[in-house]
Short mmCIF file of all heavy atoms in Angstrom, two decimals:
data_model
loop_
_atom_site.label_atom_id
_atom_site.label_comp_id
_atom_site.label_asym_id
_atom_site.label_seq_id
_atom_site.Cartn_x
_atom_site.Cartn_y
_atom_site.Cartn_z
N GLN B 185 120.02 66.83 100.66
CA GLN B 185 119.84 66.07 101.90
C GLN B 185 118.55 65.26 101.86
O GLN B 185 118.49 64.11 102.25
CB GLN B 185 119.81 67.05 103.07
CG GLN B 185 120.41 66.49 104.32
CD GLN B 185 120.32 67.50 105.45
OE1 GLN B 185 119.98 68.66 105.27
NE2 GLN B 185 120.63 67.04 106.65
N LYS B 186 117.50 65.93 101.33
CA LYS B 186 116.21 65.25 101.24
C LYS B 186 116.29 64.10 100.24
O LYS B 186 115.77 63.01 100.48
CB LYS B 186 115.12 66.25 100.82
CG LYS B 186 114.53 67.00 101.99
CD LYS B 186 113.22 67.67 101.64
CE LYS B 186 113.42 68.97 100.92
NZ LYS B 186 112.18 69.72 100.70
N GLU B 187 116.98 64.37 99.12
CA GLU B 187 117.10 63.32 98.10
C GLU B 187 117.88 62.12 98.63
O GLU B 187 117.51 60.97 98.38
CB GLU B 187 117.78 63.88 96.85
CG GLU B 187 116.80 64.57 95.93
CD GLU B 187 117.49 65.42 94.87
OE1 GLU B 187 118.61 65.06 94.49
OE2 GLU B 187 116.89 66.42 94.46
N ALA B 188 118.94 62.42 99.37
CA ALA B 188 119.74 61.34 99.94
C ALA B 188 118.88 60.48 100.87
O ALA B 188 118.93 59.25 100.84
CB ALA B 188 120.92 61.91 100.72
N ALA B 189 118.03 61.16 101.67
CA ALA B 189 117.16 60.43 102.59
C ALA B 189 116.17 59.58 101.81
O ALA B 189 115.86 58.45 102.18
CB ALA B 189 116.42 61.41 103.50
N GLU B 190 115.66 60.15 100.69
CA GLU B 190 114.72 59.41 99.87
C GLU B 190 115.36 58.14 99.31
O GLU B 190 114.75 57.08 99.29
CB GLU B 190 114.22 60.28 98.72
CG GLU B 190 112.85 60.90 98.99
CD GLU B 190 112.54 62.00 98.00
OE1 GLU B 190 112.55 61.71 96.79
OE2 GLU B 190 112.28 63.14 98.44
N MET B 191 116.62 58.29 98.89
CA MET B 191 117.31 57.12 98.35
C MET B 191 117.52 56.05 99.39
O MET B 191 117.50 54.87 99.11
CB MET B 191 118.65 57.55 97.77
CG MET B 191 118.49 58.24 96.43
SD MET B 191 120.04 58.20 95.58
CE MET B 191 120.14 59.84 94.98
N ASP B 192 117.69 56.52 100.62
CA ASP B 192 117.84 55.55 101.71
C ASP B 192 116.50 54.97 102.11
O ASP B 192 116.41 54.22 103.08
CB ASP B 192 118.49 56.21 102.93
CG ASP B 192 119.96 56.50 102.65
OD1 ASP B 192 120.47 55.94 101.67
OD2 ASP B 192 120.57 57.27 103.40
N GLY B 193 115.44 55.35 101.43
CA GLY B 193 114.14 54.76 101.66
C GLY B 193 113.30 55.43 102.73
O GLY B 193 112.39 54.82 103.28
N ALA B 194 113.59 56.69 103.04
CA ALA B 194 112.80 57.38 104.05
C ALA B 194 111.47 57.84 103.45
O ALA B 194 111.44 58.40 102.35
CB ALA B 194 113.57 58.58 104.57
N GLY B 195 110.37 57.57 104.15
CA GLY B 195 109.06 58.01 103.69
C GLY B 195 108.88 59.48 104.02
O GLY B 195 109.73 60.09 104.68
N PRO B 196 107.76 60.08 103.58
CA PRO B 196 107.55 61.50 103.82
C PRO B 196 107.51 61.86 105.31
O PRO B 196 107.99 62.92 105.71
CB PRO B 196 106.20 61.78 103.14
CG PRO B 196 105.61 60.45 102.81
CD PRO B 196 106.73 59.48 102.75
N ILE B 197 106.95 60.95 106.13
CA ILE B 197 106.82 61.28 107.55
C ILE B 197 108.17 61.24 108.25
O ILE B 197 108.52 62.15 109.00
CB ILE B 197 105.81 60.33 108.23
CG1 ILE B 197 104.40 60.63 107.69
CG2 ILE B 197 105.84 60.50 109.75
CD1 ILE B 197 103.34 59.69 108.14
N SER B 198 108.95 60.19 107.96
CA SER B 198 110.25 60.14 108.64
C SER B 198 111.17 61.22 108.09
O SER B 198 112.02 61.75 108.80
CB SER B 198 110.88 58.75 108.52
OG SER B 198 110.94 58.36 107.17
N LYS B 199 110.98 61.58 106.82
CA LYS B 199 111.77 62.69 106.27
C LYS B 199 111.44 63.97 107.03
O LYS B 199 112.31 64.78 107.36
CB LYS B 199 111.42 62.85 104.78
CG LYS B 199 112.63 63.00 103.91
CD LYS B 199 112.32 62.94 102.42
CE LYS B 199 111.02 63.53 101.98
NZ LYS B 199 110.75 63.42 100.54
N PHE B 200 110.14 64.17 107.30
CA PHE B 200 109.72 65.37 108.02
C PHE B 200 110.30 65.39 109.44
O PHE B 200 110.85 66.39 109.90
CB PHE B 200 108.19 65.44 108.08
CG PHE B 200 107.67 66.56 108.94
CD1 PHE B 200 107.75 67.87 108.51
CD2 PHE B 200 107.11 66.28 110.18
CE1 PHE B 200 107.28 68.90 109.30
CE2 PHE B 200 106.64 67.31 110.98
CZ PHE B 200 106.72 68.62 110.53
N ILE B 201 110.20 64.23 110.13
CA ILE B 201 110.62 64.19 111.53
C ILE B 201 112.15 64.29 111.68
O ILE B 201 112.65 64.97 112.56
CB ILE B 201 110.09 62.92 112.22
CG1 ILE B 201 108.56 63.01 112.32
CG2 ILE B 201 110.70 62.74 113.61
CD1 ILE B 201 107.90 61.79 112.89
N TYR B 202 112.88 63.60 110.78
CA TYR B 202 114.32 63.53 110.99
C TYR B 202 115.11 64.59 110.23
O TYR B 202 116.25 64.89 110.56
CB TYR B 202 114.84 62.14 110.63
CG TYR B 202 114.32 61.10 111.57
CD1 TYR B 202 113.36 60.16 111.18
CD2 TYR B 202 114.74 61.09 112.91
CE1 TYR B 202 112.85 59.23 112.06
CE2 TYR B 202 114.23 60.16 113.80
CZ TYR B 202 113.29 59.24 113.38
OH TYR B 202 112.78 58.34 114.27
N ILE B 203 114.53 65.19 109.19
CA ILE B 203 115.29 66.18 108.43
C ILE B 203 114.67 67.57 108.50
O ILE B 203 115.30 68.53 108.93
CB ILE B 203 115.44 65.73 106.95
CG1 ILE B 203 116.26 64.44 106.92
CG2 ILE B 203 116.12 66.81 106.14
CD1 ILE B 203 116.49 63.90 105.55
N THR B 204 113.39 67.65 108.10
CA THR B 204 112.77 68.97 108.00
C THR B 204 112.61 69.64 109.36
O THR B 204 112.98 70.80 109.56
CB THR B 204 111.39 68.85 107.31
OG1 THR B 204 111.54 68.04 106.16
CG2 THR B 204 110.87 70.20 106.91
N LEU B 205 112.04 68.89 110.31
CA LEU B 205 111.76 69.47 111.62
C LEU B 205 113.02 69.95 112.33
O LEU B 205 113.06 71.08 112.82
CB LEU B 205 110.97 68.47 112.47
CG LEU B 205 110.01 69.06 113.50
CD1 LEU B 205 109.09 70.08 112.87
CD2 LEU B 205 109.20 67.96 114.17
N PRO B 206 114.09 69.11 112.39
CA PRO B 206 115.33 69.61 113.01
C PRO B 206 115.88 70.85 112.30
O PRO B 206 116.38 71.77 112.94
CB PRO B 206 116.31 68.44 112.86
CG PRO B 206 115.46 67.25 112.70
CD PRO B 206 114.22 67.70 112.00
N HIS B 207 115.73 70.89 110.99
CA HIS B 207 116.21 72.05 110.24
C HIS B 207 115.43 73.30 110.62
O HIS B 207 115.97 74.40 110.68
CB HIS B 207 116.10 71.79 108.74
CG HIS B 207 116.52 72.96 107.91
ND1 HIS B 207 117.84 73.28 107.69
CD2 HIS B 207 115.80 73.92 107.28
CE1 HIS B 207 117.90 74.37 106.95
NE2 HIS B 207 116.68 74.78 106.68
N MET B 208 114.12 73.13 110.88
CA MET B 208 113.28 74.29 111.22
C MET B 208 113.35 74.66 112.70
O MET B 208 112.81 75.68 113.10
CB MET B 208 111.82 73.99 110.85
CG MET B 208 111.53 74.09 109.37
SD MET B 208 109.79 74.44 109.07
CE MET B 208 109.04 72.89 109.44
N ALA B 209 114.02 73.81 113.49
CA ALA B 209 113.96 73.98 114.95
C ALA B 209 114.31 75.40 115.39
O ALA B 209 113.61 76.00 116.20
CB ALA B 209 114.87 72.97 115.63
N ARG B 210 115.38 75.94 114.81
CA ARG B 210 115.79 77.26 115.27
C ARG B 210 114.77 78.32 114.88
O ARG B 210 114.43 79.20 115.68
CB ARG B 210 117.15 77.63 114.70
CG ARG B 210 117.71 78.81 115.45
CD ARG B 210 119.09 79.13 115.02
NE ARG B 210 119.07 79.76 113.72
CZ ARG B 210 120.17 80.12 113.08
NH1 ARG B 210 121.34 79.86 113.62
NH2 ARG B 210 120.10 80.71 111.91
N ALA B 211 114.23 78.21 113.66
CA ALA B 211 113.22 79.17 113.24
C ALA B 211 111.98 79.08 114.14
O ALA B 211 111.38 80.10 114.50
CB ALA B 211 112.85 78.93 111.78
N ILE B 212 111.60 77.86 114.50
CA ILE B 212 110.44 77.69 115.38
C ILE B 212 110.70 78.36 116.72
O ILE B 212 109.85 79.09 117.24
CB ILE B 212 110.12 76.19 115.57
CG1 ILE B 212 109.64 75.58 114.24
CG2 ILE B 212 109.04 76.00 116.65
CD1 ILE B 212 109.44 74.08 114.29
N THR B 213 111.90 78.14 117.26
CA THR B 213 112.23 78.77 118.53
C THR B 213 112.15 80.29 118.42
O THR B 213 111.59 80.97 119.30
CB THR B 213 113.65 78.38 118.97
OG1 THR B 213 113.85 77.01 118.69
CG2 THR B 213 113.86 78.65 120.44
N VAL B 214 112.69 80.82 117.33
CA VAL B 214 112.66 82.27 117.15
C VAL B 214 111.22 82.77 117.07
O VAL B 214 110.85 83.77 117.71
CB VAL B 214 113.44 82.66 115.87
CG1 VAL B 214 113.20 84.12 115.52
CG2 VAL B 214 114.92 82.41 116.06
N VAL B 215 110.38 82.06 116.33
CA VAL B 215 108.97 82.46 116.22
C VAL B 215 108.32 82.46 117.61
O VAL B 215 107.65 83.42 117.99
CB VAL B 215 108.20 81.50 115.27
CG1 VAL B 215 106.70 81.70 115.41
CG2 VAL B 215 108.63 81.73 113.83
N VAL B 216 108.54 81.39 118.36
CA VAL B 216 107.91 81.29 119.68
C VAL B 216 108.35 82.45 120.56
O VAL B 216 107.52 83.13 121.19
CB VAL B 216 108.28 79.94 120.35
CG1 VAL B 216 107.89 79.95 121.83
CG2 VAL B 216 107.59 78.79 119.63
N LEU B 217 109.64 82.72 120.58
CA LEU B 217 110.13 83.76 121.49
C LEU B 217 109.67 85.15 121.07
O LEU B 217 109.20 85.93 121.89
CB LEU B 217 111.65 83.69 121.55
CG LEU B 217 112.19 82.41 122.21
CD1 LEU B 217 113.68 82.30 122.04
CD2 LEU B 217 111.82 82.36 123.68
N ILE B 218 109.78 85.45 119.78
CA ILE B 218 109.41 86.79 119.34
C ILE B 218 107.91 87.02 119.49
O ILE B 218 107.46 88.05 119.98
CB ILE B 218 109.86 87.03 117.89
CG1 ILE B 218 111.38 87.15 117.88
CG2 ILE B 218 109.22 88.29 117.31
CD1 ILE B 218 111.99 87.26 116.53
N GLU B 219 107.12 86.02 119.10
CA GLU B 219 105.67 86.17 119.27
C GLU B 219 105.32 86.35 120.74
O GLU B 219 104.44 87.13 121.09
CB GLU B 219 104.93 84.97 118.67
CG GLU B 219 104.89 85.01 117.16
CD GLU B 219 103.82 84.10 116.58
OE1 GLU B 219 103.05 83.49 117.34
OE2 GLU B 219 103.77 83.99 115.34
N THR B 220 105.99 85.60 121.60
CA THR B 220 105.69 85.72 123.03
C THR B 220 105.90 87.15 123.52
O THR B 220 105.06 87.70 124.24
CB THR B 220 106.56 84.75 123.85
OG1 THR B 220 106.42 83.45 123.31
CG2 THR B 220 106.13 84.75 125.31
N ILE B 221 107.01 87.74 123.10
CA ILE B 221 107.28 89.12 123.50
C ILE B 221 106.13 90.04 123.09
O ILE B 221 105.64 90.85 123.87
CB ILE B 221 108.59 89.63 122.86
CG1 ILE B 221 109.78 88.83 123.38
CG2 ILE B 221 108.79 91.12 123.09
CD1 ILE B 221 110.11 89.06 124.81
N PHE B 222 105.68 89.90 121.85
CA PHE B 222 104.61 90.77 121.38
C PHE B 222 103.26 90.40 121.99
O PHE B 222 102.46 91.27 122.31
CB PHE B 222 104.51 90.73 119.84
CG PHE B 222 105.56 91.55 119.16
CD1 PHE B 222 106.74 90.99 118.73
CD2 PHE B 222 105.37 92.91 118.97
CE1 PHE B 222 107.72 91.76 118.11
CE2 PHE B 222 106.34 93.69 118.36
CZ PHE B 222 107.52 93.12 117.93
N LEU B 223 103.02 89.10 122.15
CA LEU B 223 101.71 88.66 122.61
C LEU B 223 101.47 88.98 124.09
O LEU B 223 100.34 89.15 124.52
CB LEU B 223 101.54 87.16 122.37
CG LEU B 223 101.50 86.74 120.90
CD1 LEU B 223 101.48 85.23 120.76
CD2 LEU B 223 100.29 87.35 120.20
N LEU B 224 102.56 89.06 124.86
CA LEU B 224 102.39 89.44 126.26
C LEU B 224 101.80 90.85 126.35
O LEU B 224 101.17 91.20 127.35
CB LEU B 224 103.74 89.42 126.99
CG LEU B 224 104.28 88.05 127.40
CD1 LEU B 224 105.71 88.18 127.92
CD2 LEU B 224 103.40 87.43 128.48
N SER B 225 101.97 91.65 125.32
CA SER B 225 101.53 93.04 125.35
C SER B 225 100.33 93.31 124.45
O SER B 225 100.11 94.45 124.07
CB SER B 225 102.68 93.95 124.95
OG SER B 225 103.76 93.76 125.80
N VAL B 226 99.56 92.29 124.10
CA VAL B 226 98.36 92.52 123.29
C VAL B 226 97.47 93.54 124.00
O VAL B 226 97.20 93.41 125.20
CB VAL B 226 97.58 91.21 123.05
CG1 VAL B 226 96.19 91.50 122.52
CG2 VAL B 226 98.34 90.33 122.07
N PHE B 227 97.06 94.56 123.27
CA PHE B 227 96.27 95.61 123.92
C PHE B 227 95.11 96.10 123.04
O PHE B 227 93.95 96.02 123.43
CB PHE B 227 97.18 96.79 124.29
CG PHE B 227 96.43 97.98 124.80
CD1 PHE B 227 95.88 97.97 126.07
CD2 PHE B 227 96.27 99.11 124.01
CE1 PHE B 227 95.18 99.06 126.54
CE2 PHE B 227 95.56 100.20 124.48
CZ PHE B 227 95.02 100.18 125.75
N ALA B 228 95.45 96.56 121.84
CA ALA B 228 94.44 97.18 120.98
C ALA B 228 93.28 96.24 120.68
O ALA B 228 92.11 96.64 120.68
CB ALA B 228 95.08 97.67 119.68
N GLU B 229 93.60 94.97 120.42
CA GLU B 229 92.56 94.00 120.06
C GLU B 229 91.55 93.84 121.19
O GLU B 229 90.36 93.63 120.94
CB GLU B 229 93.18 92.64 119.73
CG GLU B 229 93.97 92.62 118.42
CD GLU B 229 95.42 93.05 118.61
OE1 GLU B 229 95.74 93.64 119.67
OE2 GLU B 229 96.23 92.79 117.70
N ILE B 230 92.03 93.93 122.43
CA ILE B 230 91.11 93.81 123.57
C ILE B 230 90.33 95.11 123.75
O ILE B 230 89.12 95.10 123.96
CB ILE B 230 91.90 93.45 124.84
CG1 ILE B 230 92.54 92.07 124.68
CG2 ILE B 230 90.99 93.48 126.07
CD1 ILE B 230 93.43 91.67 125.81
N LEU B 231 91.02 96.23 123.62
CA LEU B 231 90.38 97.53 123.83
C LEU B 231 89.18 97.73 122.91
O LEU B 231 88.12 98.18 123.34
CB LEU B 231 91.40 98.66 123.61
CG LEU B 231 90.85 100.08 123.77
CD1 LEU B 231 90.69 100.42 125.25
CD2 LEU B 231 91.76 101.10 123.11
N VAL B 232 89.31 97.41 121.64
CA VAL B 232 88.21 97.72 120.71
C VAL B 232 87.18 96.59 120.59
O VAL B 232 86.13 96.80 119.99
CB VAL B 232 88.70 98.10 119.30
CG1 VAL B 232 89.58 99.32 119.34
CG2 VAL B 232 89.40 96.94 118.63
#
Side-chain angles (χ1 to χ4, degrees):
Chain B
Q185 213 181 351
K186 274 196 280 187
E187 275 166 30
E190 260 167 57
M191 284 199 225
D192 289 345
I197 292 173
S198 54
K199 226 170 35 181
F200 173 73
I201 293 176
Y202 294 109
I203 296 181
T204 313
L205 210 51
H207 177 78
M208 283 204 287
R210 195 175 74 182
I212 293 174
T213 319
V214 169
V215 167
V216 168
L217 293 171
I218 289 175
E219 285 198 4
T220 307
I221 296 291
F222 282 95
L223 294 174
L224 282 172
S225 302
V226 166
F227 173 73
E229 290 87 344
I230 296 175
L231 179 76
V232 299

